[in-house]
Amino acid sequence: MDYSAFFSNALDGLRQEGRYRVFADIERVAGAFPRARYHDGERVRDVIVWCSNDYLGMGQNDKVRQAMHRSIDLSGTGAGGTRNIAGTNHSHVLLERELADLHDKEAALLFTSGYVSNWAALSTLAAKLPNCVVLSDAGNHASMIEGIRHSRAEYRIFKHNCPDDLARCLREVEPDRAKLVAFESVYSMDGDIAPIAELCDVAEQYDAMTYLDEVHAVGLYGRRGAGIAERDGVMNRLTIIQGTLGKAFGVIGGYIASSAPVIDFVRSFASGFIFTTALPPMLAAGALASVRHLKESQWERKAQQDRVRLLRERLDDRGIPHRANPSHIVPVMVGDPVKCRTVANRLLDDFDIYIQPINYPTVPRGTERLRLTPSPLHSRGDIEQLVEALDEVWEQTGLARAPRTRVKMPQAAPAHAWRPKEPAMCTACRQLLAMSSDRAMLEAHPRA
């Protein structure tokens, strides 16, 4: 077999379909988010990033950075191996306690990423529960799907966000079998939100465990940033809540939170936990600082919701089609892989705006898009610049316009919940203040 030809032909096929992925060489700049340096061959230039999952800019937060510096000085860099052999660093213990408290659960368990936490937890639970059948939402993330498949347990897929179809699937399962219902709260590509309470109603009726992925919601929703389940007052109804430290919390890592027996069970049986090097102490320390900050501060959540609302309104004004949803994710719909890449390239080359195109298999064919994620640190001027650029590229590319629509966003956190401790601003906002026309918002920002 000509192995080289096989690989080359497969890659050529991706290029012909317009699905070949090109990674932009981006260098994040501490204190300047969402601005970054783009390395274009020998040329380096400043760009504005509009597609980061550092949703609240916590990767630039002074408290987080300082906590990580202190941890390096105290403990060094790596964890020294698996927790099973090298021992559990005290920062792991503190972070797991904080995460358990965040979700009002008895215990939590850290993993090296959100992907690994889904894969390890779901594969272990579904494999070990006797005669288990997994009920999986049709829109679930690849990490959940791979974990379920790896378990070799029977699984059934119910229609996306459809409690009635979940009930239909559960009716077909023998009553005495173990059952695990797995779904997400915020779905990352369409930005829609699950009817958690209704899905719990069905699961409870059929004596099924529930597993909720809150990866795109933790830090962003709820009084203390615990996610949609906290916002909707249903955390106590979920058997297991899974989250990430690599998005709104601005670091890296994943976790699950549940009852003490469930957590101890996964800790004791999950190969994805037992046999991999632990999260470095400096990352655990940074995540701990971020979680603690977002439990108290409402500024980041409120400012992000304001930015999302403004961006949607300005896109509507120009007829730029975006998928309606009640979350912070703004999918701008293109519908063609080649044109999607063309739009992204034009934005980067002509306007210094970086947005990665989203194509199949991440989204279904014909729904290719630009996935925008406004943050608290995107200024009103940044939004105007983005919309002007999109409007011009849309016209030049001959893409269809959309009728005016407005999406109702979730209620912002009450202003009285914000209790600043110091009047000073963080580094990121201090640098952004000079460039922003929205001075009042930034001047109100407490020290991060």
Side-chain angles (χ1 to χ4, degrees):
M1 180 177 180
D2 188 341
Y3 294 105
S4 180
F6 169 80
F7 296 128
S8 296
N9 291 338
L11 292 171
D12 287 342
L14 288 179
R15 293 186 182 94
Q16 291 169 8
E17 293 179 34
R19 296 196 294 116
Y20 181 74
R21 298 175 188 232
V22 178
F23 293 163
D25 187 349
I26 297 291
E27 181 182 6
R28 285 162 63 91
V29 180
F33 184 80
R35 284 154 179 80
R37 296 188 185 98
Y38 171 53
H39 292 257
D40 184 9
E42 296 299 320
R43 182 186 175 198
V44 180
R45 54 194 171 95
D46 294 336
V47 297
I48 298 179
V49 178
W50 274 100
C51 54
S52 174
N53 282 347
D54 186 0
Y55 291 131
L56 300 177
M58 292 301 292
Q60 312 289 301
N61 183 279
D62 283 348
K63 285 182 181 177
V64 175
R65 292 161 58 193
Q66 290 165 11
M68 293 181 72
H69 281 296
R70 287 194 299 269
S71 177
I72 291 174
D73 292 339
L74 180 67
S75 302
T77 54
T82 68
R83 290 169 68 175
N84 184 48
I85 293 175
T88 288
N89 190 278
H90 188 56
S91 60
H92 298 146
V93 175
L94 294 178
L95 179 54
E96 286 173 342
R97 288 175 183 170
E98 200 74 29
L99 292 168
D101 176 76
L102 176 68
H103 293 288
D104 198 21
K105 299 294 185 184
E106 291 178 345
L109 187 66
L110 283 172
F111 295 84
T112 51
S113 73
Y115 192 105
V116 172
S117 59
N118 268 337
W119 181 88
L122 283 168
S123 64
T124 300
L125 291 165
K128 297 294 184 181
L129 284 166
N131 200 19
C132 180
V133 59
V134 182
L135 294 304
S136 177
D137 187 286
N140 277 346
H141 188 263
S143 58
M144 303 176 76
I145 295 169
E146 288 301 316
I148 294 166
R149 285 177 176 169
H150 184 75
S151 74
R152 298 187 179 180
E154 180 184 344
Y155 65 88
R156 303 184 187 184
I157 300 171
F158 63 92
K159 293 178 183 178
H160 179 52
N161 280 350
C162 184
D164 289 341
D165 198 51
L166 173 61
R168 178 191 64 79
C169 291
L170 282 168
R171 280 195 299 271
E172 297 174 355
V173 179
E174 296 86 340
D176 60 345
R177 294 186 66 179
K179 297 171 282 291
L180 177 60
V181 178
F183 57 100
E184 301 180 40
S185 57
V186 177
Y187 288 84
S188 63
M189 290 298 119
D190 287 342
D192 52 335
I193 295 177
I196 299 176
E198 290 83 351
L199 292 171
C200 286
D201 287 342
V202 176
E204 290 164 2
Q205 180 182 351
Y206 291 91
D207 190 30
M209 296 175 63
T210 48
Y211 183 103
L212 175 66
D213 176 321
E214 288 259 38
V215 159
H216 293 274
V218 288
L220 300 166
Y221 301 91
R223 182 178 60 85
R224 300 195 305 163
I228 297 296
E230 181 190 33
R231 187 198 71 178
D232 294 352
V234 293
M235 282 198 300
N236 62 311
R237 300 181 66 184
L238 280 307
T239 312
I240 301 163
I241 296 175
Q242 182 266 353
T244 185
L245 305 168
K247 293 181 171 58
F249 290 128
V251 193
I252 193 172
Y255 65 89
I256 59 171
S258 185
S259 66
V262 168
I263 294 301
D264 200 19
F265 181 90
V266 175
R267 182 191 69 86
S268 300
F269 287 100
S271 63
F273 173 81
I274 297 170
F275 297 108
T276 191
T277 299
L279 203 67
M282 62 180 179
L283 295 175
L288 178 63
S290 184
V291 172
R292 284 176 173 172
H293 174 79
L294 289 175
K295 278 183 175 180
E296 298 294 330
S297 175
Q298 302 297 330
W299 182 88
E300 291 83 2
R301 288 188 279 275
K302 181 179 184 299
Q304 188 207 37
Q305 291 166 7
D306 289 341
R307 292 296 183 258
V308 171
R309 187 177 297 108
L310 176 60
L311 175 58
R312 289 188 184 278
E313 290 175 357
R314 298 297 292 120
L315 291 172
D316 289 339
D317 292 341
R318 298 299 182 96
I320 305 296
H322 59 97
R323 180 154 289 183
N325 66 57
S327 76
H328 59 283
I329 295 167
V330 184
V332 171
M333 307 306 294
V334 178
D336 177 272
V338 175
K339 289 184 177 179
C340 197
R341 167 57 66 184
T342 298
V343 171
N345 288 345
R346 288 290 313 279
L347 290 171
L348 184 58
D349 294 340
D350 297 345
F351 299 95
D352 295 328
I353 291 172
Y354 170 59
I355 308 171
Q356 183 71 8
I358 307 295
N359 295 325
Y360 177 85
T362 306
V363 295
R365 297 180 192 273
T367 68
E368 292 81 7
R369 66 198 66 181
L370 303 176
R371 179 180 176 275
L372 306 182
T373 52
S375 79
L377 301 181
H378 284 93
S379 70
R380 293 176 181 270
D382 293 336
I383 292 175
E384 294 301 326
Q385 177 195 11
L386 171 65
V387 173
E388 290 289 339
L390 279 170
D391 185 62
E392 182 174 329
V393 174
W394 224 256
E395 191 68 27
Q396 293 173 350
T397 313
L399 291 168
R401 301 278 178 165
R404 181 182 178 84
T405 57
R406 287 288 168 92
V407 177
K408 184 178 181 180
M409 295 299 294
Q411 183 69 31
H416 61 73
W418 165 45
R419 298 184 300 276
K421 296 180 180 179
E422 296 181 274
M425 290 182 291
C426 70
T427 303
C429 284
R430 190 160 51 248
Q431 293 186 10
L432 187 58
L433 180 60
M435 297 178 281
S436 174
S437 60
D438 189 15
R439 299 181 66 88
M441 174 70 75
L442 290 172
E443 287 169 350
H445 185 189
R447 183 175 179 81

